[in-house]
Amino acid sequence: MSVCPANFDEKVKCPFVDRKEFIEAFENAFWNIDQKNYSILVYYGVAGIGKTSLRKELPTLIEKHNESDWHTRVIWTSIDFATEQYRQPYKFLEVLSSQLRQKYGIKFNSFDIALATYWKKINPYSPLVKEDYSENSIVRDVLDICDEFVPVNLIPNVYKLAKSLPERYQKWALKRKEDISKLPNLEPTEIYERLPVYLAHDLADHLQNTSESAVIFIDTYEALWEKDRDKGSFNSRDEWLRKLIENIQKSCLWVICGKESLRWEEVDEDWKNYLYQRKIGKLPEKDALDLLKQCGITEENIQKVLIESSEGVPYYLELSIDIYRKIKQKKQPTPENFAKVPEGIFCRFVKYLDGEEKETLKVLSVPRYWNRELFKKLVKEFNTGYPATSFSELHSFSFMDIDDKGKCSMHQLMRKSLQDNQDQDLKKEVHNFMLDFYSNQLKDLDIKAITQEHENALIEAFYHAKESLEAEELCEWFISVSDPFDRAAFWQLITSMYEEMLQILEAKLGPENPSVATALNNLAGLYKRMGEYEKALQLYQRTLDIREKTLGSQHPDFATTLNNFAELYRQMGEYEKALSLYQKALEIDEKVLGPYHPSVATTIDNLALLYRQMGEYEKALQLSQRALEICEKVFNPQHPDVAIVLNNLSLLYYQMGDYDRALPLYQKALNIQEEVFGPQHPDVATTLNNLAGLYNSMGEYEKALPLYQRTLDIQENVLGLQHPTVAATLNNLAELYHQMGDYEKALPLHQRALNIREKMLDPQHPDIAITLNNIALLYNNMGEYEKALPLYQRALKILEDSLGLEHPDVAVTLNNLAIFYSNIGKYEEALPLFERAVDIIDCTKLGLNHPYFSITINNLIGLYDSMLEEMIFYGYLRS
């Protein structure tokens, strides 16, 4: 059985239909490339409107120009984001440089060196292979000279190295030596972020040296947002492309095709001066008629029907041409063979497919994607009668698409039409089959070995579960199947699914159903872990209201929500609110569950954390030791909850100045977490951060530094760049550099931490005060006293208001402010601050051996000595 007519084995390739006004827009931008710093021409419109056809046609104008005026050659290339891997910045840049290198012999020395350095830093034990690089790559030439690519040895001596490389690199080395020489000192994430800059410099150098111009085409731009349409982060997804454009300037025209106009002016209003945005609307009737004629449809009555039903969308016309030719194999097409309204055109189309084809397409319209193997399974499972060996024939139709990885899909309007016009029982059976298919891929999932395939399986399983399961079944199933992803910190992935499931539950079960409360509680927990505290706060409040109303105020689930609510308040710095909720939760748990239940241990440990932050260390110690006792009794020694309690107890000992007790507990907690979660989990990062802080306080800076750096890498990768936890690590790393005397590294880290905290936390949060205090101390040590004073004063005000007048953190700030006054000779202002700090530390019963006490008392003694020397100098006392 043949799907396509014998005289055209491939899908119809329709000729380009002239879009005169849009071609003129390109010509205008093309001739004025050098008039402004940047030139970006944007074509946008709905899918199928003809953007890609236009994009494929425009390079012919460039080639004609190059043939007629070879003195001013224009180079060009094209990249389509429909290929998923090209949406990754480094892969886009790699492909762009490769295409321009192959077509025009352009050298990308800076980019090649930077990319090689990046890969070497993240894969230090994997050697670079010369054969993996093109003949024109500097990396290949480097590997000809050196046995191994070792950035720390090669890059600081770029100029010297260039002299031993071919002569063509010497000019580049002189110009770009400063940028390249910095590479060994950059973290992999820093190099990754600067890759667009390195490539831009290379391309800009080429254009400047040759007086050529460039045109870069980008298609399917909307694919960048395929997994995240959140408006707040919209412009962050293509920030790297703006960086690339900004660093080339002039001589380069960017032609971007997508479904929507760009919104770069939201980032910087100046972009309005450089964006030329043209919406592609309906294909004019004349052009649509020309297309039909060129494809052999000459019957006027059929032409009229197709033009009306297409609504001016070229892709509809292409589908019509496919079907017209198929019908004509058997009989003369008539106007009745085609739908008159867009909603019905696909239904009419499928009437002229063979029975096996129609049944197969009905089944294929249920999943969103498939590959050859899944296609075979579906055909076999639902006995459509279609030969599994005819995969390529079926996918030759224009409403079918296959990407370069063999991922297949169907045009959405065709898909929707098939679903609306098939037996609904069959549709549900296919959904059930697909749910089982993807759920099986998620069974017994090792959280340390989750791959992109597992992520895709969860996404697709959830899609089919919504169609297969009743609301309460959906909730129970999703909580179970998403739990490994939650524990593995794939929070961004599952949050959107929880949000969607919550809407389903509320619609089907009502807003006060227990399942709704469960979804609200879990979603709030995700927001809390991602640092979105305001969203979490609202959801926890709703959860609490529902559970109190439906379960009562003595139910364990109600206590769980109280504990979660309290934990959120603790992280937000609202300690008094947190305290009352923790105490109430603990009272319920002990009464209902007994004193040795895991939930009791969790609440006790959280309450201990709160008391530690409030400076009440004795209360915290008793609770933390009790939490550990419960966990060791109810869990095995390698349970992650044991590690959490160990980590928190270690942190308490550390802040009490008992470093000898803290160190082995940190190491034990770290061993458990790495064994359970793997090395890249946020809980591992938390313990690494705390352990680094301990080494820092012990003066073992060389041990602390790599731990902080590893912590930051994990947190930025998992939590994102704007998470409060990232700010804490930045603050700690900056403190380490401060103590090591490297002020230039410390200051930008502190400032970045402050920016995150001021953006994500309440203005009166103690963490903001801590960062202000640290920056002030840094300015003080740098001698920039005018900058330090207002920061100290602001920090002290926040801490006194949020923690009270007797908190140890208040004492620390008082001590630092007193040092500031001492440094500028204002001893009378420093003295009461030192004395007050000593009184606070004594009141909190930290003990005479605590580092806080010894540091502050020594500072106070030093102040007395300075005051005495001053009095002797001015003759108030005799020596």
Side-chain angles (χ1 to χ4, degrees):
M1 176 192 60
S2 175
V3 177
C4 297
N7 61 344
F8 64 107
D9 295 329
E10 297 180 357
K11 75 164 99 173
V12 176
K13 297 189 181 300
C14 294
F16 176 74
V17 179
D18 187 17
R19 294 275 196 154
K20 185 177 180 181
E21 64 178 298
F22 302 111
I23 291 177
E24 289 176 349
F26 173 78
E27 291 175 334
N28 181 61
F30 178 79
W31 290 114
N32 291 281
I33 289 178
D34 291 322
Q35 298 303 307
K36 293 186 178 182
N37 287 339
Y38 321 112
S39 297
I40 304 103
L41 176 61
V42 182
Y43 295 114
Y44 67 98
V46 297
I49 204 67
K51 302 181 295 292
T52 297
S53 298
L54 177 63
R55 189 263 299 168
K56 291 179 178 179
E57 181 69 15
L58 295 177
T60 62
L61 304 178
I62 299 175
E63 296 301 337
K64 289 178 181 178
H65 165 82
N66 288 339
E67 291 173 5
S68 62
D69 187 2
W70 57 271
H71 292 288
T72 57
R73 185 177 71 158
V74 177
I75 64 175
W76 69 274
T77 193
S78 177
I79 298 180
D80 191 345
F81 283 151
T83 301
E84 186 173 358
Q85 59 182 346
Y86 295 168
R87 302 169 205 165
Q88 297 297 322
Y90 85 90
K91 180 55 68 175
F92 175 91
L93 298 170
E94 195 175 41
V95 171
L96 178 61
S97 63
S98 176
Q99 291 179 354
L100 293 175
R101 192 196 318 270
Q102 292 174 15
K103 290 174 69 174
Y104 304 106
I106 300 175
K107 305 291 189 298
F108 290 90
N109 299 332
S110 302
F111 176 74
D112 287 350
I113 287 287
L115 188 58
T117 304
Y118 170 76
W119 280 112
K120 191 62 182 174
K121 279 177 174 279
I122 64 174
N123 301 285
Y125 303 111
S126 299
L128 300 182
V129 180
K130 182 174 74 172
E131 287 70 25
D132 291 342
Y133 294 87
S134 69
E135 294 289 342
N136 293 329
S137 173
I138 189 174
V139 178
R140 189 182 183 97
D141 287 333
V142 168
L143 293 174
D144 279 337
I145 296 173
C146 309
D147 293 332
E148 176 59 280
F149 187 95
V150 184
V152 72
N153 294 335
L154 294 175
I155 298 175
N157 301 303
V158 169
Y159 181 64
K160 181 179 177 182
L161 175 65
K163 296 178 92 174
S164 59
L165 288 171
E167 184 178 348
R168 61 182 178 270
Y169 295 120
Q170 295 182 18
K171 184 177 179 181
W172 160 78
L174 284 172
K175 185 171 185 179
R176 297 299 177 189
K177 177 182 177 182
E178 183 178 350
D179 283 347
I180 297 301
S181 63
K182 296 177 181 177
L183 280 168
N185 298 322
L186 297 178
E187 294 298 317
T189 52
E190 294 175 312
I191 298 175
Y192 187 93
E193 290 174 357
R194 285 188 57 81
L195 285 177
V197 177
Y198 289 112
L199 186 141
H201 287 170
D202 288 329
L203 183 54
D205 287 348
H206 173 84
L207 297 177
Q208 183 179 6
N209 294 336
T210 61
S211 298
E212 293 177 343
S213 298
V215 180
I216 311 296
F217 296 91
I218 302 177
D219 205 355
T220 323
Y221 198 70
E222 67 276 2
L224 278 178
W225 291 269
E226 182 183 24
K227 297 178 181 178
D228 183 7
R229 297 296 300 173
D230 181 67
K231 185 176 181 180
S233 63
F234 188 88
N235 286 311
S236 65
R237 299 301 292 270
D238 57 0
E239 181 180 1
W240 58 272
L241 183 64
R242 292 194 294 276
K243 188 180 296 185
L244 175 64
I245 294 173
E246 287 170 348
N247 283 276
I248 295 178
Q249 294 195 2
K250 296 192 174 181
S251 301
C252 189
L253 170 63
W254 299 83
V255 181
I256 298 176
C257 300
K259 288 184 179 179
E260 302 176 26
S261 60
L262 299 185
R263 291 154 42 182
W264 292 358
E265 70 275 5
E266 295 176 1
V267 177
D268 186 344
E269 287 189 5
D270 196 43
W271 280 113
K272 290 182 179 179
N273 299 320
Y274 309 115
L275 290 171
Y276 303 89
Q277 308 217 57
R278 303 301 301 268
K279 183 176 181 179
I280 301 182
K282 287 185 177 183
L283 190 67
E285 185 173 324
K286 179 183 180 302
D287 291 341
L289 182 60
D290 289 343
L291 174 63
L292 295 176
K293 289 179 178 178
Q294 291 178 63
C295 293
I297 301 179
T298 58
E299 300 89 341
E300 292 185 3
N301 53 355
I302 294 179
Q303 291 172 349
K304 182 179 179 181
V305 169
L306 293 181
I307 291 173
E308 288 179 354
S309 61
S310 73
E311 291 274 339
V313 177
Y315 189 70
Y316 292 178
L317 295 174
E318 291 180 18
L319 290 173
S320 303
I321 293 165
D322 275 357
I323 301 302
Y324 175 90
R325 293 185 177 184
K326 186 170 181 64
I327 295 172
K328 198 162 186 176
Q329 279 188 307
K330 302 175 182 179
K331 62 178 183 179
Q332 177 61 37
T334 66
E336 288 72 30
N337 297 141
F338 302 94
K340 293 184 179 180
V341 293
E343 291 79 4
I345 191 167
F346 293 105
C347 298
R348 295 294 183 95
F349 283 174
V350 296
K351 289 183 178 179
Y352 304 102
L353 299 172
D354 291 341
E356 294 87 353
E357 294 167 352
K358 288 189 290 186
E359 293 306 312
T360 303
L361 289 172
K362 287 179 182 179
V363 171
L364 291 177
S365 71
V366 178
R368 294 189 290 191
Y369 311 103
W370 63 90
N371 57 20
R372 188 183 292 266
E373 291 305 312
L374 181 54
F375 168 80
K376 292 179 180 178
K377 291 179 184 293
L378 289 166
V379 167
K380 181 179 179 180
E381 175 70 20
F382 294 97
N383 194 27
T384 66
Y386 192 83
T389 55
S390 298
F391 174 86
S392 299
E393 293 182 27
L394 186 66
H395 290 80
S396 67
F397 282 108
S398 58
F399 51 76
M400 305 289 268
D401 182 65
I402 308 178
D403 67 14
D404 56 1
K405 293 184 178 180
K407 183 179 178 181
C408 309
S409 60
M410 187 184 300
H411 188 276
Q412 289 304 305
L413 291 176
M414 180 68 165
R415 180 169 173 257
K416 185 178 185 304
S417 174
L418 287 164
Q419 288 188 4
D420 290 344
N421 291 276
Q422 66 174 284
D423 181 81
Q424 295 304 300
D425 289 337
L426 170 64
K427 181 179 175 182
K428 187 161 186 176
E429 286 178 21
V430 181
H431 277 301
N432 287 332
F433 176 84
M434 295 305 303
L435 175 59
D436 291 341
F437 174 79
Y438 286 115
S439 294
N440 286 334
Q441 298 178 31
L442 302 173
K443 285 185 176 178
D444 303 319
L445 192 56
D446 182 355
I447 66 171
K448 294 180 289 184
I450 293 177
T451 65
Q452 182 64 52
E453 286 71 26
H454 292 125
E455 294 182 54
N456 293 337
L458 178 65
I459 293 169
E460 295 308 308
F462 180 71
Y463 170 76
H464 293 289
K466 290 183 295 181
E467 301 294 333
S468 302
L469 304 177
E470 297 299 325
E472 290 178 327
E473 292 177 315
L474 174 65
C475 182
E476 183 179 348
W477 169 84
F478 185 69
I479 290 173
S480 173
V481 79
S482 65
D483 178 66
F485 293 90
D486 189 0
R487 289 185 288 119
F490 283 77
W491 300 322
Q492 292 283 357
L493 174 67
I494 62 176
T495 295
S496 61
M497 299 183 207
Y498 258 112
E499 290 171 334
E500 189 174 355
M501 183 177 71
L502 179 61
Q503 293 178 352
I504 295 172
L505 294 174
E506 289 177 323
K508 297 289 181 65
L509 304 176
E512 295 186 344
N513 186 275
S515 293
V516 171
T518 299
L520 285 166
N521 180 79
N522 294 354
L523 180 56
L526 291 170
Y527 282 135
K528 180 182 68 177
R529 290 188 283 280
M530 293 190 297
E532 298 188 40
Y533 297 150
E534 290 302 324
K535 289 183 178 179
L537 192 64
Q538 296 175 13
L539 297 184
Y540 275 139
Q541 185 62 63
R542 280 192 61 196
T543 307
L544 201 63
D545 293 343
I546 295 171
R547 284 182 167 172
E548 185 172 24
K549 184 174 183 179
T550 59
L551 303 176
S553 60
Q554 297 299 307
H555 194 280
D557 287 353
F558 180 74
T560 296
T561 306
L562 287 172
N563 175 74
N564 294 341
F565 215 157
E567 181 67 4
L568 176 62
Y569 276 131
R570 182 186 67 80
Q571 293 181 14
M572 294 173 68
E574 298 192 34
Y575 298 150
E576 293 302 323
K577 291 182 179 179
L579 180 59
S580 62
L581 293 176
Y582 276 139
Q583 291 170 333
K584 188 174 181 181
L586 182 59
E587 180 183 342
I588 297 170
D589 281 339
E590 288 181 324
K591 179 180 178 181
V592 178
L593 303 175
Y596 286 96
H597 192 277
S599 294
V600 173
T602 298
T603 305
I604 289 174
D605 191 47
N606 290 341
L607 185 55
L609 278 175
L610 178 64
Y611 278 128
R612 175 183 61 77
Q613 289 179 295
M614 295 172 67
E616 299 188 35
Y617 296 149
E618 290 301 323
K619 289 183 180 179
L621 182 59
Q622 294 176 12
L623 291 169
S624 190
Q625 290 172 333
R626 184 183 165 199
L628 182 61
E629 177 189 353
I630 297 172
C631 285
E632 289 180 334
K633 183 173 182 177
V634 299
F635 296 125
N636 69 66
Q638 296 300 112
H639 195 280
D641 283 6
V642 174
I644 291 173
V645 176
L646 286 170
N647 178 69
N648 293 338
L649 180 56
S650 303
L651 184 57
L652 178 58
Y653 279 133
Y654 159 65
Q655 292 198 331
M656 294 174 68
D658 196 341
Y659 299 158
D660 290 339
R661 288 189 180 180
L663 182 58
L665 295 181
Y666 275 140
Q667 292 169 332
K668 184 177 179 181
L670 183 62
N671 290 336
I672 295 172
Q673 290 169 332
E674 288 185 323
E675 178 66 26
V676 174
F677 297 125
Q680 299 298 312
H681 195 276
D683 285 359
V684 172
T686 298
T687 305
L688 286 169
N689 179 71
N690 294 343
L691 181 57
L694 177 60
Y695 281 131
N696 185 13
S697 297
M698 295 168 67
E700 299 189 37
Y701 302 147
E702 295 304 319
K703 289 184 179 179
L705 182 57
L707 295 180
Y708 276 139
Q709 291 169 333
R710 184 181 162 197
T711 299
L712 193 59
D713 287 343
I714 296 171
Q715 291 173 341
E716 288 182 332
N717 183 52
V718 177
L719 305 176
L721 301 181
Q722 296 296 312
H723 196 281
T725 303
V726 172
T729 303
L730 288 167
N731 178 79
N732 295 342
L733 180 57
E735 273 298 284
L736 176 61
Y737 280 127
H738 185 174
Q739 293 184 41
M740 294 171 68
D742 197 338
Y743 299 159
E744 290 186 1
K745 288 185 179 178
L747 185 57
L749 293 173
H750 271 318
Q751 289 171 332
R752 186 180 160 202
L754 182 61
N755 289 339
I756 296 172
R757 283 175 163 172
E758 288 185 324
K759 180 179 180 181
M760 302 301 294
L761 303 176
D762 185 271
Q764 295 300 306
H765 197 289
D767 286 353
I768 293 177
I770 289 171
T771 306
L772 290 167
N773 173 80
N774 293 340
I775 296 175
L777 181 59
L778 183 60
Y779 279 135
N780 187 38
N781 290 344
M782 294 168 67
E784 299 187 34
Y785 300 129
E786 291 184 359
K787 293 182 179 179
L789 181 58
L791 297 179
Y792 276 137
Q793 292 170 331
R794 183 182 164 201
L796 184 60
K797 181 69 166 59
I798 293 173
L799 291 172
E800 289 178 334
D801 290 347
S802 61
L803 302 179
L805 301 180
E806 303 298 322
H807 193 279
D809 286 350
V810 173
V812 171
T813 305
L814 288 166
N815 172 79
N816 294 345
L817 182 55
I819 291 173
F820 164 80
Y821 282 125
S822 297
N823 288 343
I824 62 175
K826 294 188 176 182
Y827 301 141
E828 292 183 358
E829 295 187 41
L831 181 59
L833 298 175
F834 274 136
E835 292 174 338
R836 185 181 161 201
V838 171
D839 288 343
I840 292 173
I841 294 171
D842 182 55
C843 289
T844 56
K845 297 185 173 67
L846 295 181
L848 299 182
N849 294 322
H850 195 281
Y852 283 8
F853 182 83
S854 59
I855 291 171
T856 307
I857 201 68
N858 286 335
N859 291 338
L860 179 57
I861 293 171
L863 176 64
Y864 285 143
D865 290 341
S866 297
M867 293 175 70
L868 183 62
E869 290 175 3
E870 185 180 76
M871 294 175 74
I872 292 172
F873 179 80
Y874 287 106
Y876 296 113
L877 291 175
R878 294 184 182 272
S879 60

